[in-house]
């Protein structure tokens, strides 16, 4: 049986316990082969890792062993992630989002500044992506069964009814009063496609206030935030590998992050299979059906929230949507891995990706 060591918070913050516990966690933190992205190996003598489960995934931080005096601050950052989850979750009886969903169709609901900022960003992204990103898609996820990870194939009437209760254009925000109101009954909001990135951004703000830099955060296998320098690397970047969607043992590219975030989306890990046909869990909020035509969508952006949301949006809208956004956002880069006529081959499309951002494998052709 695996042995676990427990330390009080006081002893943890005193140093030795922190270093020993985090070093042990570094060795134990193994990644699933189904992950779309993977961190490249690092020397445990140079890096320390710690992790905690939140938002139905594993959040983890990697930083330098020389900075282990900041262990307590990183523990506080995990507390921040849990606080964000408490605020955004729809899977509990009480949260800020649950209260919005209960009352915003009746009257405006006042929210705090951080949540209002997230609502504004979500509405802006809905407009910029022409509806490919939409935080009101809960009714659609419900009829497909993906909301409770119990997939089912709905009929056309169910999909039509779900679509009639959706649309971020039915959200009315008042910056003066810091409120949100639903313009029709049946609307619900859900931050599943942006929440992890938002939590990482909140963590970065908290650590910045404490003067702490040089670290890499993971939120599951899809959300990453890098700050400062990786002092254990010659190029001082934090390196992340992108796995082949059909051959997960192969890496098709390596991303180099520094003061940037990365988000990735794909349908390989969650899907519904009926009569041999697979229906992915990422739904197109414009049509009501699972998005098709893309294996994985990876986005580099200034914030983790944007990277998260745009990765989902580009998976839904495909290469045309990615090209459109990236043509107007030079600070956003994207890599879409798509199928070809040959089921065994892939096509890689890259937008605003420069040599300092990534190193694609020479085994696959990249369209730019």
């Amino acid at each position: 049986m695996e042995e676990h060591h427990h330390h009080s918070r006081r002893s943890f913050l005193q140093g030795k316990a922190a270093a020993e516990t985090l070093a042990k966690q570094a060795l134990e933190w193994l990644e699933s082969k189904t992950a779309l992205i993977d961190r490249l190996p690092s020397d445990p003598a140079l890096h320390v890792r710690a992790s905690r489960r939140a938002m139905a995934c594993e959040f983890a931080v990697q930083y330098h062993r020389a900075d282990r005096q900041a262990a307590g601050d990183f523990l506080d950052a995990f507390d921040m992630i849990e606080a964000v989850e408490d605020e955004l979750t729809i899977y509990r009886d009480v949260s800020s989002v649950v209260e919005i969903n209960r009352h915003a169709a009746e009257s405006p609901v006042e929210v705090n500044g951080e949540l209002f900022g997230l609502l504004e960003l979500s509405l802006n992204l809905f407009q910029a992506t022409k509806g490919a990103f939409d935080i009101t898609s809960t009714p659609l996820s419900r009829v497909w069964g993906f909301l409770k990870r119990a997939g089912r194939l709905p009929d056309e009437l169910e999909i039509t009814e779900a679509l009639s209760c959706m649309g971020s254009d039915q959200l009315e925000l008042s910056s003066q009063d810091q409120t949100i109101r639903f313009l029709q009954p049946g609307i619900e909001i859900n931050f599943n496609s942006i929440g992890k990135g938002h939590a990482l951004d909140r963590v970065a703000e908290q650590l910045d206030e404490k003067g702490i830099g040089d670290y890499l955060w993971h939120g599951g296998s899809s959300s990453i935030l890098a700050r400062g320098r990786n002092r254990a690397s010659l190029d001082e970047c934090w390196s992340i590998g992108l796995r082949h969607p059909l051959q997960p043992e192969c890496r098709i590219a390596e991303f180099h992050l520094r003061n940037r975030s990365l988000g990735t989306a794909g349908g390989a890990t969650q899907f519904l299979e009926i009569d041999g046909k697979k229906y992915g869990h990422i739904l197109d909020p414009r049509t009501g059906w699972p998005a098709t035509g893309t294996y994985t969508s990876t986005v580099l952006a200034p914030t983790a929230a944007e990277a998260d949301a745009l990765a989902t949006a580009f998976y839904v809208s495909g290469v045309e949507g990615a090209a459109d956004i990236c043509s107007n956002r030079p600070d956003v880069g994207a890599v879409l891995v798509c199928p070809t006529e040959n089921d065994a081959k892939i096509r890689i499309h890259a937008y605003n990706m420069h040599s300092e951002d990534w190193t694609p494998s020479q085994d696959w052709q990249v369209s730019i």
Side-chain angles (χ1 to χ4, degrees), residues 175-245:
S175 56
Q176 180 177 352
D177 300 323
Q178 210 164 273
T179 59
I180 176 174
R181 184 169 74 94
F182 297 161
L183 298 181
Q184 74 170 67
I187 295 290
E188 301 174 61
I189 61 171
N190 184 341
F191 292 107
N192 277 357
S193 296
I194 196 173
K196 287 187 293 185
H198 173 67
L200 293 182
D201 289 334
R202 294 285 302 279
V203 160
E205 291 173 3
Q206 180 171 290
L207 293 174
D208 286 348
E209 290 174 358
K210 297 182 179 182
I212 298 172
D214 298 350
Y215 53 78
L216 181 75
W217 278 93
H218 289 248
S221 61
S222 60
S223 306
I224 292 177
L225 181 146
R227 283 292 181 271
R229 300 177 296 126
N230 178 5
R231 305 194 300 267
S233 174
L234 290 177
D235 63 5
E236 297 189 334
C237 291
W238 301 95
S239 297
I240 302 295
L242 177 65
R243 289 176 173 171
H244 193 298

Side-chain angles (χ1 to χ4, degrees), residues 39-314:
R39 54 182 175 75
L40 300 185
S42 63
D43 187 346
L46 299 176
H47 287 144
V48 173
R49 291 188 182 88
S51 64
R52 186 186 298 179
R53 191 160 184 82
M55 295 186 174
C57 72
E58 196 81 355
F59 277 81
V61 63
Q62 174 180 322
Y63 60 98
H64 299 97
R65 182 170 290 276
D67 300 334
R68 60 183 177 271
Q69 74 279 359
D73 296 309
F74 286 110
L75 278 182
D76 291 340
F78 283 114
D79 293 341
M80 167 64 80
I81 292 170
E82 291 186 347
V84 171
E85 180 181 21
D86 291 343
E87 182 176 54
L88 301 186
T89 183
I90 62 168
Y91 301 103
R92 301 175 190 169
D93 293 335
V94 178
S95 76
S96 296
V97 172
V98 168
E99 290 304 301
I100 291 172
N101 288 338
R102 283 175 179 162
H103 303 296
E106 302 168 356
S107 60
V109 176
E110 186 176 354
V111 299
N112 62 45
E114 290 79 10
L115 182 51
F116 190 81
L118 180 59
L119 287 164
E120 285 187 313
L121 173 62
S122 298
L123 187 54
N124 289 338
L125 289 170
F126 168 78
Q127 295 166 345
T129 63
K130 301 175 182 177
F133 174 78
D134 191 346
I135 60 172
T136 70
S137 60
T138 295
L140 196 59
S141 298
R142 183 177 293 115
V143 299
W144 277 92
F146 293 132
L147 196 64
K148 296 184 177 180
R149 299 200 174 189
R152 58 182 292 273
L153 183 61
D155 59 38
E156 288 283 357
L157 178 59
E158 289 177 298
I159 293 175
T160 299
E161 290 178 346
L163 290 173
S164 70
C165 297
M166 290 170 47
S168 288
D169 53 352
Q170 297 301 308
L171 306 180
E172 182 180 76
L173 303 182
S174 169
S175 56
Q176 180 177 352
D177 300 323
Q178 210 164 273
T179 59
I180 176 174
R181 184 169 74 94
F182 297 161
L183 298 181
Q184 74 170 67
I187 295 290
E188 301 174 61
I189 61 171
N190 184 341
F191 292 107
N192 277 357
S193 296
I194 196 173
K196 287 187 293 185
H198 173 67
L200 293 182
D201 289 334
R202 294 285 302 279
V203 160
E205 291 173 3
Q206 180 171 290
L207 293 174
D208 286 348
E209 290 174 358
K210 297 182 179 182
I212 298 172
D214 298 350
Y215 53 78
L216 181 75
W217 278 93
H218 289 248
S221 61
S222 60
S223 306
I224 292 177
L225 181 146
R227 283 292 181 271
R229 300 177 296 126
N230 178 5
R231 305 194 300 267
S233 174
L234 290 177
D235 63 5
E236 297 189 334
C237 291
W238 301 95
S239 297
I240 302 295
L242 177 65
R243 289 176 173 171
H244 193 298
L246 306 179
Q247 305 170 35
E249 70 280 2
C250 297
R251 184 179 293 121
I252 59 178
E254 178 182 329
F255 298 101
H256 316 299
L257 303 181
R258 187 170 174 181
N259 295 321
R260 213 170 186 192
S261 296
L262 179 150
T264 192
T269 57
Q270 294 184 47
F271 57 86
L272 166 68
E273 186 168 357
I274 297 178
D275 297 330
K277 183 176 180 178
K278 292 182 178 179
Y279 299 87
H281 76 289
I282 300 179
L283 303 171
D284 187 337
R286 304 165 302 179
T287 67
W289 288 86
T292 59
T294 304
Y295 283 136
T296 64
S297 165
T298 303
V299 171
L300 274 63
T303 68
E306 283 185 298
D308 250 8
L310 289 175
T312 299
F314 292 172

Side-chain angles (χ1 to χ4, degrees), residues 125 128-130 132-133 263 286 293-294 296-300 306-307 309-338 347-353 367-368:
L125 289 170
T129 63
K130 301 175 182 177
F133 174 78
R286 304 165 302 179
T294 304
T296 64
S297 165
T298 303
V299 171
L300 274 63
E306 283 185 298
L310 289 175
T312 299
F314 292 172
Y315 184 89
V316 168
S317 61
V319 294
E320 291 184 5
D324 180 50
I325 294 290
C326 290
S327 66
N328 296 305
R329 288 285 306 271
D331 57 341
V332 171
V335 175
L336 272 64
V337 182
C338 302
R347 180 173 289 111
I348 303 174
H349 301 267
Y351 306 94
N352 291 345
M353 296 297 295
S367 299
I368 301 177

